Amino acid sequence: MASPSLDSPKLCQDIFSILESQFLFGTSPVRKASPRPTSPAGKVRILSIDGGADDLGAASLVRLESSLRRLSGDPSTTISHFFDLAIGSGSGALLASLLFANNLSASDASVLLRQISLEKSKTRTRFGRLFKKENKTLEKAFGEATLKDASKPLLITCYDLNTGAPFVFSRADAVEADGFDFKIRDVCEAALCQRKGSKEVKSVDGEMRIRVLDAGASTNPTAVGITHVMHNKQEFPFVNGLEDVFVFSIGGNGTRLSDAASIAGTCQADAVDQAVAMAFGESRKSNYVRIQGNRINTGSTPENILSETCVESVLFQGKRLMKETNEERLEWAAGELLKEQHRRRQSKIPPVFVKSAMTPRTSSSSAMTLTTVLTGSSESPRYC
């Protein structure tokens, strides 16, 4: 019998597992066990949006939401109905917040994202800095809402210059103590600073002060989201392994890199994608979906990127082109999300126990101004 090829991804993975077991944990190599069956409570669904993935992220989620509405037959369903947790970095944090804090449709969130980004770009001009123009759309979008007002678990990653360490804004922490509760508009504005500056954000009780610098325009927060779910047994009690989670991650547009900071950020995002994909192992084909540009046709629009062939991480081999396009992966993901939704309706075990906020601060006036921003009218809000 011929020996297996050293190019075999399965062989590489087996070798890596043996080395990890023997040299990292001091145990003898053992036969690889069969994958543990998924928890009877089902899979916890994580939405992760990279920093700098605003255009592709919005286009991907609009397409995903359209597929979910078509497959479910419900024209009013939104992205937040099909995910249990959202995490974002930079502009991805803003998109995640619009979806989970305001329960907006992906198309409405996309409109607000463009308006906020346009206003933010104006503040970077000399005239804007001179008069310190505020982002009115951002203020109207969230009003006085804080992290604890989000409808579902929400995480926003950043870097704290005060401590010189990463920091995660978390709804779960905000519910526990006002010292970890922050106004969403302040957090999102700080997250949009990226490499051009920093912003101090104070908690609602004034005790906690974070000087926020976005960790990088292409930072991939997926690993943080998975770690949060794995260790937050109060809200996700039935998650015991990666087979119990479904991750939908959106990366950057895949445009050509122009400076050292962009290169570093993109390399970091790709490194996280590689690590996450390898952690899932064979189950990454069913539990991990990554949407990103393949960098072949640089400068493509988000719509064109969705029609391009998608890429996947391969152990010890970087990335390779798949047979599917990003658009086809989105359609497949919509089907998987819908299957999980149907399974939950038939199950007596709820997979998620979201911590309840005892004193929500979202006011009706905040919801009213949001509708005015989107429609230019003063009608009753559709999503609040």
Side-chain angles (χ1 to χ4, degrees), residues 190-210:
L192 293 174
C193 288
Q194 295 182 2
R195 301 180 301 276
K196 297 184 180 295
S198 61
K199 177 180 175 62
E200 185 175 81
V201 182
K202 295 187 294 184
S203 60
V204 295
D205 63 359
E207 295 297 322
M208 178 78 74
R209 295 172 182 263
I210 308 296

Side-chain angles (χ1 to χ4, degrees), residues 152-369:
K152 291 184 177 181
L154 175 65
L155 303 174
I156 296 174
T157 63
C158 71
Y159 190 84
D160 181 13
L161 293 179
N162 290 335
T163 61
F167 185 85
V168 180
F169 294 95
S170 167
R171 180 193 181 278
D173 292 336
V175 172
E176 294 292 335
D178 286 344
F180 291 98
D181 194 17
F182 299 80
K183 290 182 180 180
I184 296 178
R185 71 168 189 248
D186 291 342
V187 175
C188 288
E189 185 175 7
L192 293 174
C193 288
Q194 295 182 2
R195 301 180 301 276
K196 297 184 180 295
S198 61
K199 177 180 175 62
E200 185 175 81
V201 182
K202 295 187 294 184
S203 60
V204 295
D205 63 359
E207 295 297 322
M208 178 78 74
R209 295 172 182 263
I210 308 296
R211 181 159 292 280
V212 176
L213 176 70
D214 177 37
S218 300
T219 300
N220 182 345
T222 303
V224 177
I226 294 175
T227 303
H228 177 83
V229 169
M230 297 285 288
H231 293 278
N232 184 358
K233 290 298 183 181
Q234 184 174 345
E235 292 188 310
F236 311 101
F238 301 108
V239 175
N240 297 308
L242 291 176
E243 61 277 357
D244 296 326
V245 298
F246 178 87
V247 176
F248 185 85
S249 174
I250 306 176
N253 295 356
T255 54
R256 190 178 299 279
L257 304 178
S258 57
D259 57 74
S262 295
I263 294 174
T266 301
C267 290
Q268 181 183 9
D270 287 345
V272 173
D273 172 44
Q274 175 84 7
V276 171
M278 294 308 100
F280 273 100
E282 289 301 317
S283 66
R284 71 181 183 275
K285 298 177 182 178
S286 58
N287 291 40
Y288 179 58
V289 179
R290 174 77 169 169
I291 303 296
Q292 67 178 100
N294 56 29
R295 301 194 183 99
I296 295 178
N297 300 315
T298 58
S300 298
T301 65
E303 289 72 20
N304 289 337
I305 292 176
L306 293 182
S307 64
E308 293 176 352
T309 304
C310 58
V311 295
E312 69 171 346
S313 294
V314 183
L315 186 62
F316 302 139
Q317 297 179 28
K319 293 183 179 293
R320 68 179 178 189
L321 291 174
M322 301 178 66
K323 296 180 180 179
E324 303 170 296
T325 64
N326 283 313
E327 190 173 20
E328 290 171 337
R329 288 286 282 171
L330 284 169
E331 185 73 11
W332 177 85
E336 292 300 302
L337 290 169
L338 197 60
K339 288 179 184 177
E340 175 61 22
Q341 200 80 338
H342 289 327
R343 192 209 59 74
R344 292 189 180 193
R345 291 172 183 170
Q346 300 173 356
S347 175
K348 297 181 180 179
I349 307 175
V352 180
F353 296 86
V354 178
K355 295 179 181 179
S356 59
M358 301 303 294
T359 56
R361 298 182 179 85
T362 303
S363 65
S364 58
S365 59
S366 299
M368 185 66 72
T369 56

